Amino acid sequence: MVPPPLSRRGVLAGAASLAGTAALTPTASAAEAGGHDGRPRETVVFRDVRPFGAKKAVDLTVFDGRISDRPAPKHARIIDGGGRLALPTLVDAHIHPDKTTWGGDWLSRRPAGGIADYCAQDVEVFRTERRSVGERVYGLMAHAVTRGTRAMRAHADVAPAYGLKGIEGVAEAREKLAHALDVQIVGFPQHGVIRTPGTAKLLEDAARSGLVDMIGGIDPISFDHALDEQLDLVFRLADRYDVGVDIHLHDRDEKGVKVLRGIIERTRSLSLRGKVTVSHVFCLTKMSAGDLDTMAADLGELDIALTTVAPNESLVLPIAKLREHGVRVGLGSDGVRDSWSPFGNADMLHRTHILGWVTDVRLDQELTDCFTVGSHGGADVMGLARAGFEPGDPADFMLLRAECTPQVVVDMPQRDMVVHAGRVVARAGELV
């Protein structure tokens, strides 16, 4: 996790791109109810909407949760979009919901000198919070849905201080919101894998439990002081229990490069291509152009994904260059109102705004590229189908009063309607 100070410089040029005024009319509440698993079993037509800000409004036909090009039957349900802009909903590729104090009393934070101090304050919050992890996580995830998030990768702390309560709380909230949000859970050893005895066994318990989709790691050299021991353990668990890997890497110097090389070697040797993610990866921002090209080529070859939380100008990943080599890059919220920072809101549209702000973009295409990282980029990292408006695409989108995508990134208007798998899950900032 990284507190997000702001500074500015453009680095997004060349990244992949995406090409209302009337009131919403709630004429089809029946269309918002799905079958026994929450998914629609009938055709729904979202009338009078403008995908990606098209000048001419169209009707979107949705069948069984996906965009359809078939003619709508006479009995199709109708939901009036009132000429609003339609955009894909967003993906939070890196968030720590188990730590949040969102929706509770104000938390006054004390000075901290590093990860160990933050961890100690995390434990204090865990012990003093009146609400359970599941209750706090649900509140934050539900809020994210109302702001247009379709999916998130949730890192939940695994340590002797918590046992598996963090991942169990996130799993509980995931189940309650299964109709509205796709969630992957990472068992994350925030306190270190090796430096905190008992964590290794808990990570294996988490992998064996079936609750987690990935096993995490953190700064194997600078924090855990056990490069080979940590990476060998994490990758062995991933290989044995058929889960993915998502490792936090904050080091900005040669230590970070050495860890990244170790991750690449183990991904190759264990045939884990496409199942490994590295988060933050600040060392990439300090590389020469030639070294970056070499590293990006290796990452692309093994399909190792990366995530950034856009903490400031100097630490945002070189997204355009990475994508030239086929590297999947997603955007995330990181911590939200926890002991690490009073900031954060789990609003991924706001995070695309921050990405544009810290990289000092101003052109329409650059602003649109920021949105793309938050939508398609995050979907790529999580292995989800991209949500667009072509036949067969997931019907995951939001309707807003706006003229075009760049304006949405700048103004961050209210998400008047949020649709997940063809089902309306939020209206005017409230969960349906």
Side-chain angles (χ1 to χ4, degrees):
M1 293 174 58
V2 184
L6 298 180
S7 57
R8 310 180 72 179
R9 183 175 175 83
V11 297
L12 283 174
S17 61
L18 291 170
T21 56
L24 285 172
T25 306
T27 56
S29 59
E32 299 166 14
H36 68 280
D37 61 354
R39 291 191 58 182
R41 289 292 182 258
E42 54 192 338
T43 303
V44 183
V45 177
F46 292 85
R47 177 166 291 169
D48 192 22
V49 300
R50 297 181 297 110
F52 300 120
K55 297 299 182 183
K56 184 178 180 181
V58 299
D59 294 346
L60 285 179
T61 300
V62 176
F63 177 74
D64 197 21
R66 293 188 175 272
I67 304 297
S68 174
D69 59 356
R70 68 178 65 181
K74 294 181 179 179
H75 65 270
R77 304 287 184 172
I78 307 297
I79 296 178
D80 186 4
R84 280 171 172 72
L85 174 73
L87 287 175
T89 39
L90 296 152
V91 175
D92 194 330
H94 185 102
I95 186 171
H96 294 261
D98 62 312
K99 300 176 186 285
T100 192
T101 63
W102 181 271
D105 297 336
W106 177 255
L107 174 67
S108 295
R109 293 148 186 92
R110 299 191 307 276
I115 291 176
D117 287 348
Y118 287 121
C119 289
Q121 293 185 35
D122 283 342
V123 174
E124 186 175 334
V125 170
F126 175 78
R127 290 173 177 169
T128 57
E129 257 286 348
R130 294 190 299 271
R131 298 170 298 157
S132 70
V133 175
E135 182 180 354
R136 288 184 284 120
V137 173
Y138 175 83
L140 185 64
M141 285 184 173
H143 169 77
V145 169
T146 68
R147 268 54 183 176
T149 294
R150 65 180 281 226
M152 63 172 54
R153 180 174 289 175
H155 294 256
D157 281 10
V158 173
Y162 317 114
L164 301 184
K165 289 184 174 61
I167 62 172
E168 290 167 352
V170 175
E172 175 188 324
R174 172 172 66 177
E175 183 176 356
K176 291 179 179 177
L177 286 167
H179 68 288
L181 186 68
D182 297 323
V183 179
Q184 293 175 353
I185 301 177
V186 183
F188 175 51
Q190 178 75 81
H191 297 187
V193 177
I194 307 304
R195 67 180 283 157
T196 305
T199 300
K201 181 182 183 303
L202 286 169
L203 286 175
E204 181 156 16
D205 291 343
R208 189 187 298 116
S209 73
L211 293 178
V212 300
D213 303 280
M214 315 191 85
I215 293 295
I218 180 169
D219 297 326
I221 296 178
S222 62
F223 185 63
D224 224 12
H225 308 298
L227 171 62
D228 291 330
E229 197 173 354
Q230 182 189 132
L231 291 184
D232 286 347
L233 173 69
V234 169
F235 276 82
R236 184 174 70 248
L237 291 177
D239 187 47
R240 179 182 299 168
Y241 294 102
D242 193 25
V243 295
V245 171
D246 193 327
I247 294 180
H248 285 54
L249 183 56
H250 302 100
D251 296 314
R252 309 177 189 188
D253 53 17
E254 284 303 312
K255 291 192 294 292
V257 175
K258 186 174 182 180
V259 172
L260 199 50
R261 281 292 171 201
I263 290 170
I264 288 171
E265 290 167 7
R266 287 164 176 82
T267 302
R268 179 178 288 116
S269 65
L270 290 173
S271 300
L272 290 176
R273 186 182 189 279
K275 299 185 68 174
V276 175
T277 301
V278 191
S279 298
H280 305 308
V281 214
F282 297 148
C283 61
L284 289 179
T285 69
K286 309 301 179 182
M287 284 184 173
S288 68
D291 288 344
L292 177 60
D293 269 326
T294 300
M295 184 68 78
D298 288 343
L299 294 170
E301 176 198 349
L302 293 169
D303 195 16
I304 295 174
L306 308 177
T307 64
T308 183
V309 299
N312 59 46
E313 167 215 352
S314 65
L315 296 179
V316 174
L317 290 176
I319 297 171
K321 175 59 67 176
L322 290 164
R323 291 189 63 86
E324 286 177 12
H325 292 275
V327 180
R328 295 174 288 141
V329 183
L331 184 65
S333 292
D334 208 19
V336 178
R337 306 230 181 144
D338 51 26
S339 66
W340 293 61
S341 173
F343 295 100
N345 55 17
D347 184 339
M348 281 303 296
L349 185 52
H350 182 227
R351 188 59 53 165
T352 68
H353 176 98
I354 290 174
L355 178 61
W357 180 271
V358 302
T359 54
D360 196 26
V361 304
R362 56 185 293 274
L363 303 181
D364 282 1
Q365 186 60 63
E366 295 171 328
L367 290 163
T368 301
D369 291 341
C370 290
F371 186 88
T372 304
V373 177
S375 57
H376 291 351
D380 292 346
V381 168
M382 287 186 62
L384 303 173
R386 292 183 172 191
F389 299 101
E390 297 299 320
D393 287 351
D396 293 352
F397 58 88
M398 52 187 170
L399 301 183
L400 318 90
R401 293 184 182 90
E403 181 179 348
C404 58
T405 304
Q407 181 194 356
V408 169
V409 172
V410 172
D411 289 346
M412 299 174 289
Q414 174 178 277
R415 274 103 298 172
D416 291 337
M417 182 183 292
V418 179
V419 178
H420 186 74
R423 177 181 183 178
V424 177
V425 294
R427 286 181 179 273
E430 299 293 333
L431 202 65
V432 173

